Amino acid sequence: MYRILIVEDDRGICEGIKALAETWNLEAECVSDFRNVMADFSGFSPHIVLMDITLPFFDGYHWCSEIRKVSKVPVIFISSAADNMNIVMAVNMGGDDFIAKPFEPSVLMAKIHAMLRRTYDFSSSVPILEHRGALLNTGDGSLTYLDEKIPLTKNEYKILLALMENKGKTVSREKLMERLWETDSFIDENTLTVNVNRLRKKLSAAGLAGFITTKFGVGYIIEG
């Protein structure tokens, strides 16, 4: 089932689109926190985003550009500000289409389905793991925090991926070493410790101190 994230602060419009999408067998979710749209984006992992322009705190252009830093998922702008300047701006900021409000429900759904057909055959959107505002892109192995990319080695990425996939659970040192062995790198206890310490230093330098917690005698955890 395809997933649609609706970034629209008019609750009536948002719930209306959600109900309409569900009648077409699409899973839809309305953004709940307009201060941190990327958290909902990361948690829901949508196949398409419907984006209003005028939003609380940051406008739709801002959030579209944030999405474009980590994903190529289609973004369709929906707005009553349908003048040429806004349409051009929407496209320049990474939008894929623009639908003027008020719109016919049938036209909206036709455009959504056309976009889905063009985009997925089926190649799913790149999964993004998020914690404390840090975004780990499992498509290209990059880590982004506060618009800055944090460079990771292959081993550091594998460690962070294992911990973020199991957020809230302790991952044993043995499990981490097994994950690293999958990359054809022989890792012993001392080498694992060195890799974790280097990863922690990078995270701390980027403003993410305490991101990884040690459970002495057991392993490591990213607290949920």
Side-chain angles (χ1 to χ4, degrees):
M1 183 182 291
Y2 292 107
R3 295 181 298 278
I4 301 175
L5 182 66
I6 308 164
V7 189
E8 165 63 70
D9 63 324
D10 185 314
R11 203 66 191 175
I13 293 175
C14 195
E15 291 295 340
I17 295 174
K18 184 176 186 292
L20 176 66
E22 288 169 350
T23 66
W24 287 80
N25 199 33
L26 299 168
E27 186 179 353
E29 184 173 291
C30 296
V31 162
S32 56
D33 183 1
F34 289 95
R35 287 185 179 88
N36 190 7
V37 169
M38 292 306 294
D40 283 341
F41 178 84
S42 304
F44 191 52
S45 190
H47 298 100
I48 195 166
V49 176
L50 298 183
M51 180 77 70
D52 193 10
I53 293 176
T54 305
L55 298 167
F57 308 109
F58 302 97
D59 63 23
Y61 300 136
H62 169 81
W63 292 119
C64 185
S65 66
E66 290 299 295
I67 289 170
R68 281 292 166 263
K69 291 174 183 176
V70 297
S71 175
K72 295 180 180 178
V73 64
V75 176
I76 297 178
F77 278 90
I78 51 171
S79 178
S80 55
D83 57 275
N84 288 340
M85 185 182 74
N86 277 298
I87 293 173
V88 170
M89 179 79 79
V91 173
N92 287 341
M93 294 303 289
D96 297 279
D97 204 345
F98 193 107
I99 300 175
K101 295 179 184 175
F103 45 76
E104 284 291 328
S106 59
V107 173
L108 175 65
M109 295 314 300
K111 290 217 171 201
I112 288 173
H113 278 96
M115 186 67 69
L116 290 171
R117 281 195 304 271
R118 288 199 299 270
T119 308
Y120 305 102
D121 50 3
F122 185 105
S123 53
S124 63
S125 58
V126 174
I128 306 294
L129 301 177
E130 186 271 343
H131 183 63
R132 283 175 51 184
L135 303 171
L136 184 66
N137 186 324
T138 62
D140 62 11
S142 65
L143 180 66
T144 307
Y145 180 63
L146 296 179
D147 297 339
E148 296 291 332
K149 280 204 172 185
I150 303 168
L152 300 176
T153 66
K154 181 166 39 172
N155 284 345
E156 289 165 352
Y157 166 73
K158 286 287 187 180
I159 292 168
L160 191 56
L161 177 62
L163 294 174
M164 290 185 74
E165 284 177 338
N166 294 278
K167 188 165 65 171
K169 300 176 185 176
T170 301
V171 181
S172 69
R173 292 175 62 85
E174 290 76 17
K175 286 291 183 186
L176 287 176
M177 286 190 287
E178 284 175 15
R179 179 69 70 95
L180 295 176
W181 285 333
E182 292 171 4
T183 64
D184 299 325
S185 299
F186 177 74
I187 301 293
D188 60 17
E189 288 272 351
N190 290 335
T191 309
L192 176 62
T193 300
V194 169
N195 276 272
V196 171
N197 287 340
R198 284 178 180 164
L199 176 57
R200 276 180 159 149
K201 286 180 182 178
K202 287 183 180 180
L203 293 170
S204 182
L208 291 166
F211 197 82
I212 298 171
T213 302
T214 300
K215 294 294 183 181
F216 291 101
V218 183
Y220 304 95
I221 185 173
I222 290 176
E223 304 284 359

